[in-house]
Amino acid sequence: MFLDGQWVQAVSGDVFSVTNPATGEVIGEMPDGGAADTTAAIAAASAAFGSWSTTTAYERSAILYKAWQLMVERSEDLANLMTLEQGKPLKASRFEVSYAADFLQWFAEEAKRVTGEWLPSARANQRFLSIKQPVGVVGAITPWNYPISMLTRKMGPALAAGCTMVLKPAEATPLCAKAVFDVFVDAGIPAGVINMVTTSTPAPVGEVLTSDPRVAKLTFTGSTAVGKMLAGAAAANLQRVSVELGGHAPFIVYPDADPVHAAKGAAALKFLNSGQACISPNRLYVHRSVAEPFIETLTARVAKVKAGSGFDDGVGVGPLVNDAAVAKVANQVDDARAKGAEVPVGGERLETGDYANGHFYAPTLITGVTTDMLISHEETFGPVAPVMVYDEVDEVIELANATNYGLAAYVYTRDISTAFKAFEALRFGIIGINDVNPTSAAAPFGGMGDSGLGREGGHEGIDEYLETKLGGFAI
Ligand code: NAD
């Protein structure tokens, strides 16, 4: 763990093992921290806040730029580590490291754009000035599915704003978190500014982060259930909260869309990170008039996706994170089958040969999906593309919006008017119009409803770590 500028063991001396999800092999071990370690980390972050928050934006920016450069220089090693620990294909790991580095560069730039305002007063002898200041110590909890970029998406803006931090990375991917911290240490981050508690048992760490009065803000990315629980605990202490949670993205193909192009987009998007992405499409609504060519193209594409170790050439889908994830996917597919869906591709666990010791599920296509099936409303987080054919164009937005989640939605149309109407009417934070990658460090990422609160990235990203202070000056 990393406390006050030092790599240390847990107070208890306990450690936990980290495994490769493709092979089950142990690839490392990390200190198994708990409440006492978290309190010590908060103390370090709190002590460092005074000096870090009063550095100039230019000084903080310089460290973030250096970290960006180091991450780019180390990208091949970081990508290899990510594939080993998280399982995604090496090409996808390289892409994630590049995306992660973008946040460091972007917030190195944004650090220098935190400004105030000179406001008008109705009184001739009064002046108003508002300024932005860092909120204080930030508690950050991150998931395993994007084990490097989810860290930089929080650390970049928090550090740029002048906050200090305590990070708790996911138990499945602490080695990637350690590598990110190495980057910051080598970039010259002062002792105490960033601290990390690793653990195999997150609840006690979460309890301390949400109850210690020295923590001003909680930022969390993970499941809706845990996010709601932590946000509730944080609310009891009036901590500021941003939570990026689950999703159930609709993917709408309008009758005027090019169905082959749309099917290629769906195949490319659905199997990213083995479907373990919060913006992964979970309901493909295809108009009946274009359903045949869409399903034909998608069937051919899904049949070509190869599952395996992320280090093997030609592999498009790596392992899932654990057995529970495979069981959840299998349960949804079995439920759909039992309720009348067809499964033209995949639909089974991969458990023999090279797959024997990993957590694999076959790339799968399901057609004839109906609203009574689990998969039509429960997040899958696995490599399954469920297709629902619709008839009424006027009703598809309502179908798409019929979820408590509100993170991402996708639309395929060649009609500009349909595109604008869908963009405005879909109740989601991110809309891809003929676009399967509507994400960037420069753009706000986040959801509505059960998908969370707040935005990361873009101009909005740094606001989550700033307080507004008003000065009224009688002259
Ligand atoms: P999870 O909520 O179990 O775990 C996420 C993090 O929370 C991990 O670090 C974990 O250790 C920690 N955690 C779990 N229980 C905790 C507790 N009681 N107290 C404190 N911390 C606790 O989720 P997961 O299954 O590992 O991750 C996948 C989920 O994350 C999916 O639902 C996905 O949609 C969501 N996700 C959302 C985004 C986004 O930006 N919106 C990005 C990635 C993942």
Side-chain angles (χ1 to χ4, degrees), residues 106-121:
W106 174 260
F107 286 108
E109 291 155 357
E110 287 296 286
K112 294 178 281 185
R113 296 187 190 121
V114 175
T115 57
E117 273 187 300
W118 189 252
L119 302 161
S121 166

Side-chain angles (χ1 to χ4, degrees), residues 141-146 150 153 168-171 202-203 205-207 220-224 226-227 229-230 244-247 277-278 379 381 407 445 451 456:
I141 298 180
T142 51
W144 46 267
N145 58 345
Y146 288 90
M150 291 304 101
R153 198 157 85 175
K168 191 214 76 62
E171 48 275 34
V205 177
E207 277 161 27
F220 170 85
T221 298
S223 61
T224 296
V226 175
M229 187 275 290
L230 289 172
E244 299 282 359
L245 309 175
C278 44
E379 187 178 33
F381 242 53
L407 190 55
F445 185 105
S451 291
E456 294 190 314

Side-chain angles (χ1 to χ4, degrees), residues 17 29 87 109 116 172 221-222 242 253-254 269 280 294 314 348 376 403 461-462:
S17 300
E29 59 181 30
E109 291 155 357
T221 298
S242 29
V253 184
Y254 279 96
L269 179 61
S280 190
F294 180 89
E348 59 189 357
S376 69
T403 171
I462 199 163

Side-chain angles (χ1 to χ4, degrees), residues 61-75:
S61 174
I63 290 179
L64 285 166
Y65 266 122
K66 183 72 189 161
W68 165 61
Q69 276 169 351
L70 289 174
M71 190 166 272
V72 171
E73 278 169 26
R74 295 176 192 180
S75 54

